[in-house]
Amino acid sequence: RNRRMKTEAALLQPEAPAVPLYDYQRRWVADKSRFKIGCWTRQGGKSFGVALEAVDDANETAQNWVALSRGERQSRELMERAKMHSKAYAAGASAIEEDRFKVDDNEYKQLMIVFNGGARIIGLPANPDTARGYTANVILDEFAIHKDSLKIWAAMYGSITRGFKVRIVSTPMGKQNKFYSLWTGDNGYSKHFTDIYAAVKEGLDVNVDELRKGLDDDEIWAQEYECQFLDEATAFLTFELICGCEDDSASMALDETITTPREFYLGGDIGRKHDLTVLWLLEKLGDVYWTRAVIRLDKMPYRLQREFISQLIRRLNIRRTCGDATGIGAQIWEDLQTEFGDYRVEPVVFTNAIQNDLAVRMLRTFQDHRIRIPIESRLRNALHSVKKVITAAGHTRFDAERTADGHADEFWGGALALMATDQGAIKPEIFWA
């Protein structure tokens, strides 16, 4: 009882230095409803508030909590927040324990904090396999971007059957996921809505006008900061398709220690003043293409871009590279083709037919689940930004709004990398072990 009184006292004092909370976070933690869902702005402190409630409840009731996050990195971030709160409340928790386990030959990382009273908080990457087998309160963190959210929901729900609680928090990510149906459904959930304007009004220290101007994308702003569920009818790659191919083992950053020749392919979309240069590196393993780097070059002089790509091809022994030679990139790719030969570097001029082929190849690869991409919001939004447009003449065109982050440069860099994997045009003798 004394422990509970101390915890409640801390929550009721906004000036408490151990765990400072915004008003909307305080309302979340104080709401003891069994079924609770929160639709919150990006960077509004979702994980902070959810982790605090789990620590508070585990310390008070000695009940277990299982937290499912999008991937291993996100799971660790949530657990680090839980550990921070446990220290602030002197809850006597252990250090974060780490373990790996297998389900049907798939290996997963489990993170765990154990409290003196016996309660545990377990952090897991979200997956239908990891969602089964627990009897505990459940957290679904950033649920809108969980891969296979419907299957995760079905697998998880049995965990809370015997009176346990469920906590769901996310920023919207389209309408084709379980988070959208739970948020909009007439299901008796206690619902907490906090967009960027409400968060700032209740204490979040950000400059809204500066933030929006810097983002320079009305659609992303509406979704991620105003918490609007966007209609994906015009999107060529839906969030469901994109999130379904995200994987912790894919990488945005190039591993500089790579020395062993592997089956690498590279796609490049060249920019200079207005758009980014994006180089997308794929490695083929079996029949799946794994992203090993998405390299963004911002306002780099053409000479340095050519040198950078040349060194990349040589160092990684890249089998084939395709690059957009429609306009400003033409000279770079012609020079690289001269350096490496016709079969290792192919300049690609974007006619309507070529653009259509690239886009359809990209779509089918995502639909067949034959590509793995990193979990990154900016990459996700760039891929989603491309829309299929039918012109007045009846032709198909693929385009995206130009923003401060580029002009769907990642989409075309990835599409060109997939084009490079077409081995039918490559002489067999250039392959080496």
Side-chain angles (χ1 to χ4, degrees), residues 5 17 69 110 133 146 160 173 195 307 312 319 347 407 421:
M5 291 175 63
S69 300
Q110 173 179 286
H146 283 202
I160 65 166
M173 196 63 62
D195 62 11
E307 291 176 3
L312 192 65
R319 295 193 172 194
H407 189 223
T421 67

Side-chain angles (χ1 to χ4, degrees), residues 80-138:
E80 290 289 353
R81 288 181 173 86
K83 181 61 182 176
M84 176 188 66
H85 291 315
S86 69
K87 287 182 178 179
Y89 281 105
S94 69
I96 297 176
E97 301 175 7
E98 185 174 313
D99 188 25
R100 287 192 175 272
F101 64 98
K102 283 189 175 182
V103 180
D104 296 333
D105 295 327
N106 295 315
E107 187 174 78
Y108 303 102
K109 181 184 291 185
Q110 173 179 286
L111 304 175
M112 183 167 61
I113 297 173
V114 182
F115 295 85
N116 284 346
R120 298 177 298 162
I121 299 179
I122 299 170
L124 295 164
N127 185 284
D129 292 336
T130 62
R132 296 184 183 275
Y134 294 93
T135 301
N137 302 299
V138 174

Side-chain angles (χ1 to χ4, degrees), residues 135-205:
T135 301
N137 302 299
V138 174
I139 295 169
L140 297 174
D141 184 33
E142 288 292 6
F143 190 40
I145 63 171
H146 283 202
K147 174 183 173 182
D148 296 328
S149 63
L150 292 174
K151 293 180 180 178
I152 289 171
W153 181 253
M156 176 282 302
Y157 200 77
S159 300
I160 65 166
T161 300
R162 298 182 179 179
F164 291 97
K165 297 181 283 289
V166 61
R167 301 294 182 251
I168 306 165
V169 289
S170 190
T171 300
M173 196 63 62
K175 298 182 178 182
Q176 297 181 23
N177 53 70
K178 188 61 180 177
F179 178 72
Y180 172 74
S181 67
L182 288 169
W183 177 256
T184 57
D186 183 12
N187 47 29
Y189 275 67
S190 177
K191 297 181 179 180
H192 293 244
F193 179 84
T194 304
D195 62 11
I196 188 66
Y197 310 111
V200 168
K201 185 176 180 181
E202 297 191 4
L204 184 64
D205 186 17

Side-chain angles (χ1 to χ4, degrees), residues 80-340:
E80 290 289 353
R81 288 181 173 86
K83 181 61 182 176
M84 176 188 66
H85 291 315
S86 69
K87 287 182 178 179
Y89 281 105
S94 69
I96 297 176
E97 301 175 7
E98 185 174 313
D99 188 25
R100 287 192 175 272
F101 64 98
K102 283 189 175 182
V103 180
D104 296 333
D105 295 327
N106 295 315
E107 187 174 78
Y108 303 102
K109 181 184 291 185
Q110 173 179 286
L111 304 175
M112 183 167 61
I113 297 173
V114 182
F115 295 85
N116 284 346
R120 298 177 298 162
I121 299 179
I122 299 170
L124 295 164
N127 185 284
D129 292 336
T130 62
R132 296 184 183 275
Y134 294 93
T135 301
N137 302 299
V138 174
I139 295 169
L140 297 174
D141 184 33
E142 288 292 6
F143 190 40
I145 63 171
H146 283 202
K147 174 183 173 182
D148 296 328
S149 63
L150 292 174
K151 293 180 180 178
I152 289 171
W153 181 253
M156 176 282 302
Y157 200 77
S159 300
I160 65 166
T161 300
R162 298 182 179 179
F164 291 97
K165 297 181 283 289
V166 61
R167 301 294 182 251
I168 306 165
V169 289
S170 190
T171 300
M173 196 63 62
K175 298 182 178 182
Q176 297 181 23
N177 53 70
K178 188 61 180 177
F179 178 72
Y180 172 74
S181 67
L182 288 169
W183 177 256
T184 57
D186 183 12
N187 47 29
Y189 275 67
S190 177
K191 297 181 179 180
H192 293 244
F193 179 84
T194 304
D195 62 11
I196 188 66
Y197 310 111
V200 168
K201 185 176 180 181
E202 297 191 4
L204 184 64
D205 186 17
V206 300
N207 185 320
V208 173
D209 292 336
E210 181 183 58
L211 195 65
R212 182 167 188 168
K213 184 178 179 181
L215 178 62
D216 190 28
D217 190 306
D218 290 341
E219 186 174 276
I220 296 177
W221 178 263
Q223 174 178 266
E224 301 204 5
Y225 290 94
E226 296 180 335
C227 298
Q228 297 182 28
F229 290 87
L230 302 184
D231 187 353
E232 296 195 85
T234 60
F236 190 64
L237 292 180
T238 66
F239 283 121
E240 183 181 33
L241 277 178
I242 297 167
C243 293
C245 292
E246 291 180 338
D247 195 290
D248 258 333
S249 297
S251 177
M252 291 294 299
L254 180 64
D255 181 357
E256 298 295 340
T257 66
I258 295 175
T259 56
T260 304
R262 284 142 63 170
E263 193 171 341
F264 286 127
Y265 301 94
L266 183 68
D269 185 39
I270 300 296
R272 178 63 173 91
K273 294 183 179 180
H274 300 294
D275 299 324
L276 297 171
T277 287
V278 173
L279 305 173
W280 191 311
L281 181 68
L282 293 175
E283 179 183 9
K284 186 178 182 183
L285 294 174
D287 64 347
V288 176
Y289 300 104
W290 286 84
T291 302
R292 297 308 183 203
V294 180
I295 302 168
R296 301 178 177 111
L297 305 177
D298 189 10
K299 297 181 175 62
M300 180 182 284
Y302 295 125
R303 175 181 60 81
L304 296 181
Q305 290 192 42
R306 191 198 66 76
E307 291 176 3
F308 182 90
I309 299 170
S310 174
Q311 291 173 11
L312 192 65
I313 293 172
R314 288 187 181 279
R315 184 165 70 82
L316 298 180
N317 233 351
I318 293 173
R319 295 193 172 194
R320 190 170 184 235
T321 298
C322 289
D324 175 17
T326 307
I328 58 176
Q331 189 63 54
I332 289 177
W333 296 114
E334 288 177 13
D335 290 347
L336 289 168
Q337 187 180 46
T338 300
E339 181 179 357
F340 291 100

Side-chain angles (χ1 to χ4, degrees), residues 14-43:
E15 71 277 12
V19 188
L21 297 175
Y22 302 119
D23 290 345
Y24 56 89
Q25 292 174 315
R26 188 174 292 107
R27 287 194 299 273
W28 173 269
V29 176
D31 183 353
K32 304 301 181 183
S33 303
R34 183 182 178 192
F35 297 94
K36 187 166 65 173
I37 186 170
C39 184
W40 286 7
T41 177
R42 281 281 302 278
Q43 298 300 311

